[in-house]
Each structure stands twice: as structure tokens, then as C-alpha cells.
Amino acid sequence: MARRPDAELDRRTFLRLSGVSATVVALAIAAPEDTAAARPLDGDVFSLGVASGDATDSSVVLWCRLATDPEAADGHGGMSRRRVPVRWEVSEDREFRHIARRGTALASPELAHAVHPEPEGLAPNRRYYYRFHAAGQTSPIGQTRTLPAAAEVPSHFTFATASCQHWANGHYTAYRHLAAEEPDAVLFLGDYIYEGRDHTGDIKRQGATPGEQHDYHCETLGQYRLRYALVHLDPHLQAAHRAAPWFCIWDDHEVQNNWDRSGYPRDDVEEADYRRLQAVAFRAYYENLPLSLTTRPSGPAMPLFRSFDVGGLARFNLTDVRQFRDPVPPDYPVGRDEADRTLLGAEQEAWLYDNLRSSPTLWNVVASGVVLTPFDQAGTTADMWNGFPANRQRLVDAMADSSNPVVISGDIHEHLAGDIRADYTDPDSPTVAAELTTTSVSSLGDGAPLDGGGGWLKNTYVHYNETLRGYVSVRMSPEEVVAEFRTVPYVEADDRAPIETGARFRVSSGTAGLQRL
Ligand code: FE
Ligand code: CA
């Protein structure tokens, strides 16, 4: 995985703002075998499941967060202040007869009893199985895989994209089907949690009975931790994590609605309080996902943008569309001065354009938490790239200089397939890329079939639009990318809806633009 060159963090800043001792952080990453006695605990210590992510050609991050009482109101998951040793194993076979790597991490209360071991020295482009042992218990088995080596061009690579999983809005039926597909990777594109005060009472997820302890708007570390625990309890999300390594980026709701670099868009919160809130939100995000140590936050800063190469087949650029974005002016789009405004920030822009223009891979994917395709020419929907047309143009120009660019995005709770045009002010402008936007997993509940009448379709460069829930399943080969837009007819009543394919598109290597199949 190509990391940001400055991914090494200011350790002291992280430690000061997160209240974690240097020793504990070091031990949580790779503890010696004999630091503490393993003690049995009552309750399922692996109630929140297991996960893997941020794979490279020789490693993959393994994750679990211990919680014997995951819905405990204080966010501690029922765990005491005691540190718990967690043994991990990576095996070549599901029976764990051929162990490739094993080790011990120490789960500490300072990191919500989560561990993120990164076994090294694994073979490229192969499947592995992993599990954990802690407190006398053994976790479920997860399967994962390493990426192909740089010199290798695999015959194919499959991945699914997902976003927007508001727990109270519906069942995670999409994940039941996504897990069954066993893709090589899952790209999660933002809104893993929703921070708002709407997780109890009149909820759409029928059959669920969330306790009163979930009735809050996230503002403290404990509250963010409890919100992640609620989400992680879902069996279909757990199955999707067990099926493949995940590569995660965020959008707004992991912190606060529509946040940007200027802070918290709420009048009742002072900037200093906002920075504290951002720090605890980032820390809970790190604690709760299979993220590499290179993304570890330093207080209110987190080096989340990064890239990985699938051998010579594809480069995936994982962008951060929140932390560095300029505010949208109150009178937008009147009187805007676009050239100086940025969605990605200067440093990330330079990194991304260089990564695109210098890439040796056949395909070049840009993962974005928000949609790149303009909704219309009038400049509405300013929270997306639509609010940053000059930055969008710089990105489009860089993609035009790269090999076979493809954008994957989420956020709008609708499926969208669109051609990215070189110049949206010119109706005859050539197409330079394709955008595949995934609908929500559950946010906004059932939705309704658009039957080909989606509002985005008034734009000639948009070829498909659907508001049902689901995900996008993609198969890449040197010759083509084929995307299938999966939908489920409902998510509110129960988790048993069948999967359907709303549309299929192909992008052929060397020919920008979507072909409907
Ligand atoms: Fe969302
Ligand atoms: Ca969003």
C-alpha cells in the first residue's frame, strides 16, 4: 500500500489529546505474550464481530473490539479497566492447520478494548483465515486476502461499494447478500454511523428494540463508542466484515452533519469544543474499524487519505472529503470565488493528482465520500463536489491524464451511474471517466422504485438513478470494468428481502464512458 509520505504522526500530540500512555499504545499494537494473565469473562467477548482491512501484498490489518455488554450506556462495552491479552492467528486454511502468522495484542480500555494487529510477511494475492482468542473464548473466523504483488496483473479483481448505514432506518439486508458474493474487497464510502438523536422511539428497523441508552446526539467519546457498538451488533454487517478486507473512508456523519475544516456547523458549540468533539469522533472511528496504524489520529487530525494498488491492474485512491474542505459560503452560489476554494485541501489535491498522473496501473479509481457528477448546471447540492466546481475541474483534468479513471462514491442514498465530462459547461464535451455511486445500505428506509424516472436523469450524462437500498458489485479485469447495481425491495419490515440487479454497466479499457448491458 502506498502511504502518504507524512503518515508518521506526532505521537506526543496523539497521546496528549487522547489521554493514552505511550506504553499502552505500543502494547495495544503488539503486546508481548506474557504481559497479563488471560482471565475468563462472562458474556460473549466477541459480540462485536471481527474484521480485516487495509490489505497490502504482504499484510492485512486484523480487528476486533472486545465487549461483553456491548450496549452498556458508558460505551465501555461491559469491560473493566483491565487490559486483556488477545491472541490472533492467520491461517492458510479454514481449519487452522497451517498457521501463517500468530501473535498477541493487548486490548486496553484507552482504545475501547480494540486491537489492530498487522501481521507481516504474508504471501501476495491469496486468501487467509483469521481468528482471535481472549478471556478463554475464541472468535468467529474471518476470511481475508492479500493484494497481488506490484509486478502482477491479476485476471480479475472484485469489490463491492457500500455507504450510509443508518442503523435505525432499516435492516442491513444488503450486507447479507454482499457477504454471500465474497468479493475480494469492500470499499466503504462513508456514513458508517449517524451521530444524530434518532436511534430510539419511532424507528424504521422493525423488530428492533433499542434501549433508552441510545437516545442521544453523539458528543462524547463514550457516546460515539456506543453508537459504533450498536452498528457492529448487526449480524449481516458482521458477516460482510468476515467475508473480505474492508477499505474505509468517511463522510460527514462519522463526526457531525455536513462538517468541514472550519468546524462544527452548529451555532451552540464553540470552536474549542468542536475540536475536542472532532478528536473523540476520530478516535472512535479508528477504534472501530480495521484501519492501519498509519491512519491513527492525532487529536483532531487523522491522516485518512491513502491509496493501494491491486498489482498492475488498478490503483485505488481513498480520499478524505471532509477534513480539509473549505466552508460553503452562506450566500452560495451567489458571489462565489471558486478558484480559491478546495474540497480536498492543497496537500491532498497535490497527492491525488500526482498519484493519478504517475500511476502505472491499467485502471485508476478515485473513492470519494460525495458525488462528483453535477446534479444540474445551476450549482445546487453544494455539500457535494457541486459546491466546488473549480476543484472538481482540477480533479477531472488530472483524471483525464490518467489511465482508465473510475470514480466510486456514496452519500446521496441513491444509485447513480454517470459519465464524467471533461467540461460540464460544454454540451459536446468528451467523457473522461465513469462514476459509480452506491445507494445507502439502510439510510432513509425502504425508498421507492424510481422505475427509470430518477431526478438525476435530466442530466444527459446520467444513465441510471434508483432510490432503493443496496450496494454496487464491481468486477475489474484488464479489459473491462463491469458494475452491477444491486437493490433490495425493502429494508424496514425485516431482513429477508431478496437481492435484485437494477442495472449493469460496462466500461471498456481505453474507452471512457458507461455502456449499459
Ligand atoms: Fe448518508
Ligand atoms: Ca453523507
Side-chain angles (χ1 to χ4, degrees):
M1 180 178 292
R3 308 289 189 190
R4 295 174 55 199
D6 58 345
E8 275 302 310
L9 303 179
D10 178 344
R11 189 178 187 82
R12 268 181 310 185
T13 304
F14 173 75
L15 301 174
R16 186 176 72 248
L17 286 161
S18 58
V20 182
S21 83
T23 311
V24 168
V25 172
L27 291 174
I29 296 154
E33 291 273 358
D34 57 352
T35 46
R39 295 161 191 265
L41 291 173
D42 292 332
D44 177 7
V45 78
F46 296 108
S47 61
L48 302 180
V50 301
S52 70
D54 280 1
T56 71
D57 61 3
S58 62
S59 181
V60 61
V61 177
L62 309 179
W63 174 93
C64 71
R65 176 185 161 195
L66 308 181
T68 52
D69 181 11
E71 295 185 81
D74 62 6
H76 288 309
M79 303 297 291
S80 75
R81 302 298 295 172
R82 192 183 302 278
R83 299 172 198 162
V84 180
V86 180
R87 288 195 298 119
W88 53 266
E89 296 174 298
V90 178
S91 173
E92 296 174 2
D93 61 305
R94 190 177 272 283
E95 291 72 40
F96 289 81
R97 290 197 197 97
H98 303 281
I99 303 293
R101 288 286 181 277
R102 57 160 51 105
T104 303
L106 199 59
S108 71
E110 290 82 355
L111 289 175
H113 288 95
V115 293
H116 300 73
E118 297 186 39
E120 291 292 341
L122 302 178
N125 200 22
R126 67 156 298 160
R127 172 165 290 176
Y128 286 100
Y129 301 87
Y130 62 94
R131 67 184 177 189
F132 302 90
H133 308 275
Q137 301 177 29
T138 297
S139 78
I141 295 167
Q143 69 178 26
T144 189
R145 62 180 306 120
T146 50
L147 298 175
E152 188 185 343
V153 178
S155 63
H156 64 274
F157 182 75
T158 61
F159 65 94
T161 66
S163 76
C164 295
Q165 52 187 24
H166 194 304
W167 184 89
N169 279 182
H171 292 275
Y172 292 169
T173 317
Y175 282 136
R176 182 157 62 84
H177 299 291
L178 184 158
E181 290 192 28
E182 300 188 54
D184 294 330
V186 174
L187 278 287
F188 189 84
L189 302 175
D191 292 355
Y192 197 91
I193 61 160
Y194 283 71
E195 83 290 4
R197 185 176 204 135
D198 48 3
H199 286 66
T200 58
D202 185 24
I203 64 169
K204 294 177 177 163
R205 178 185 275 242
Q206 293 172 30
T209 53
E212 285 300 307
Q213 75 272 31
H214 297 294
D215 179 23
Y216 60 86
H217 186 114
C218 289
E219 292 188 341
T220 68
L221 180 56
Q223 288 173 332
Y224 280 103
R225 286 171 166 174
L226 178 55
R227 188 59 50 84
Y228 279 101
L230 181 66
V231 167
H232 274 303
L233 283 170
D234 185 277
H236 306 308
L237 177 63
Q238 291 193 8
H241 276 301
R242 286 197 307 271
W246 285 42
F247 298 82
C248 299
I249 54 173
W250 59 31
D251 188 30
D252 52 340
H253 289 288
E254 285 86 352
V255 182
Q256 293 292 321
N257 187 38
N258 289 358
W259 67 286
D260 58 44
R261 71 168 176 80
S262 74
Y264 192 13
R266 263 173 56 167
D267 295 339
D268 57 336
V269 176
E270 299 288 331
E271 171 153 1
D273 287 340
Y274 174 71
R275 295 301 167 198
R276 182 199 56 76
L277 182 144
Q278 196 172 302
V280 298
F282 289 7
R283 183 165 153 194
Y285 184 76
Y286 174 76
E287 288 171 350
N288 281 281
L289 287 170
L291 289 164
S292 163
L293 182 63
T294 62
T295 67
R296 189 185 64 187
S298 299
M302 186 163 178
L304 190 60
F305 69 79
R306 60 208 192 278
S307 68
F308 66 92
D309 287 2
V310 180
L313 180 64
R315 169 168 292 177
F316 286 74
N317 299 285
L318 308 181
T319 68
D320 175 347
V321 297
R322 287 289 160 193
Q323 206 175 167
F324 313 107
R325 73 156 64 191
D326 287 328
V328 174
D331 61 346
Y332 189 90
V334 179
R336 62 193 184 195
D337 180 8
E338 289 305 337
D340 292 338
R341 293 181 56 248
T342 172
L343 187 143
L344 296 175
E347 182 195 352
Q348 185 176 200
E349 281 199 56
W351 164 84
L352 177 59
Y353 307 155
D354 183 61
N355 239 15
L356 285 165
R357 291 190 164 110
S358 68
S359 172
T361 58
L362 290 167
W363 297 92
N364 286 280
V365 179
V366 174
S368 168
V370 290
V371 169
L372 190 75
T373 296
F375 184 69
D376 54 31
Q377 304 295 349
T380 55
T381 56
D383 189 63
M384 302 176 225
W385 281 93
N386 229 26
F388 301 82
N391 193 165
R392 180 176 62 208
Q393 191 64 54
R394 293 193 291 275
L395 173 54
V396 169
D397 290 348
M399 287 197 295
D401 291 342
S402 73
S403 171
N404 292 316
V406 175
V407 179
I408 55 175
S409 57
D411 174 54
I412 57 171
H413 309 164
E414 300 182 20
H415 276 326
L416 184 81
D419 287 333
I420 300 295
R421 296 266 175 88
D423 177 1
Y424 284 102
T425 64
D426 174 5
D428 299 320
S429 174
T431 293
V432 302
E435 180 163 28
L436 310 169
T437 304
T438 186
T439 187
S440 65
V441 169
S442 58
S443 302
L444 297 183
D446 285 344
L450 289 177
D451 294 327
W456 285 79
L457 292 170
K458 69 180 176 183
N459 302 289
T460 55
Y461 41 80
V462 173
H463 302 298
Y464 173 63
N465 184 201
E466 176 58 74
T467 67
L468 291 171
R469 311 285 75 94
Y471 60 97
V472 181
S473 183
V474 183
R475 188 179 196 279
M476 311 184 89
S477 72
E479 295 76 34
E480 63 182 15
V481 166
V482 174
E484 306 199 338
F485 288 81
R486 309 276 197 241
T487 58
V488 286
Y490 65 91
V491 294
E492 295 179 22
D494 60 47
D495 61 358
R496 295 195 292 268
I499 198 71
E500 294 163 1
T501 297
R504 299 177 73 227
F505 288 91
R506 173 199 294 133
V507 182
S508 297
S509 177
T511 309
L514 294 157
Q515 308 154 250
R516 188 147 187 169
L517 299 173

